[in-house]
Amino acid sequence: MKATLMIGANSAIAIAASRRLIAQGQRVISISRCPPPLTDLHHYNCDYSDESIMDCCLKISKLGITLNRIFHFNGMLHQGNHGPEKQLSQCQRDWFNQCMSINAFQPLMWLQQLQPLCHPAHACVFYALSARLASISDNQLGGWYSYRASKAALNMLMKTAAIEVARRQPKLGIVLWHPGTTDSPLSRPFQTNVAKDKLFTPAFSASQLLKLAETSLQQLTQGEWPTGQAQFIDWQGEPISW
Ligand SMILES: NC(=O)c1ccc[n+]([C@@H]2O[C@H](COP(=O)([O-])OP(=O)(O)OC[C@H]3O[C@@H](n4cnc5c(N)ncnc54)[C@H](OP(=O)(O)O)[C@@H]3O)[C@@H](O)[C@H]2O)c1
């Protein structure tokens, strides 16, 4: 039986995507620090320590399912008194390290632990939620040091892993995905200057995500995926420059 894995399942986009998949009768496994956001999810609590990630993956491996879609939603932009730095003088080591750990290393740890669970002959996509501002070549605005750097690090880690993964799991496709500005707790403090028609609902972002994941799965199945290459794309599926 095939299943979708939602890591960071309490994200607004994740909830909308899970709702859609469950309505289609698909099997969804969810991972979160919090209780399951919906009924009908096969849920595991995780504190995102290495041990907890390994424990979740061990439990998933015993379910006897084939993962064909893995979505990694977790991301941190602000927490408590901390938020994105507007100026160099606001940068602090602890906050930077926290952003790096959650936004960059954690998804890599999930990929490390999940890779052996992906059957070499079965197509599977791993979508990690990135952000357009992680583009190094397109950084026109500056600011948001820790978030920007950690998402850029995420991109580099996934691009690097894609090269290695292709040797053993040629049908595991890795995508860094920018959802567009979406109404969620993460973006809420920064929505003031966003035009109404540029602020997506979680339901819209989720439908784009699922559509694009379907296209990725087809490309992998039909051997159209460029070997060893991660993709960095936006909500429309348009490539973003690295
Ligand atoms: N919304 C936007 O405009 C926008 C734009 C570009 C990129 N993104 C990216 O899209 C992803 C999903 O964001 P969203 O908009 O759906 O935000 P959201 O509803 O606020 O969800 C936050 C996500 O981050 C996880 N998270 C929060 N704090 C965490 C912590 N301390 N440790 C580990 N995980 C933590 C949550 O996981 P739990 O389920 O465990 O709570 C949840 O998956 C993020 O990676 C974000 O960077 C969003």
Side-chain angles (χ1 to χ4, degrees), residues 119-191:
H119 194 287
H122 293 159
C124 177
V125 284
F126 185 103
Y127 268 64
L129 278 272
S130 182
R132 189 184 294 282
L133 56 62
S135 167
I136 292 176
S137 52
D138 187 37
N139 183 356
Q140 315 276 349
L141 285 176
W144 292 34
Y145 287 80
S146 296
Y147 183 74
R148 191 187 290 279
S150 58
K151 290 288 189 181
L154 163 71
N155 286 5
M156 180 56 99
L157 292 170
M158 290 293 153
K159 198 173 186 347
T160 302
I163 295 166
E164 181 189 332
V165 161
R167 296 187 198 122
R168 269 188 255 157
Q169 318 278 15
K171 293 208 180 288
L172 176 57
I174 298 178
V175 178
L176 285 314
W177 189 63
H178 170 63
T181 307
T182 304
D183 185 17
S184 73
L186 180 138
S187 70
R188 213 148 285 151
F190 311 98
Q191 293 177 1

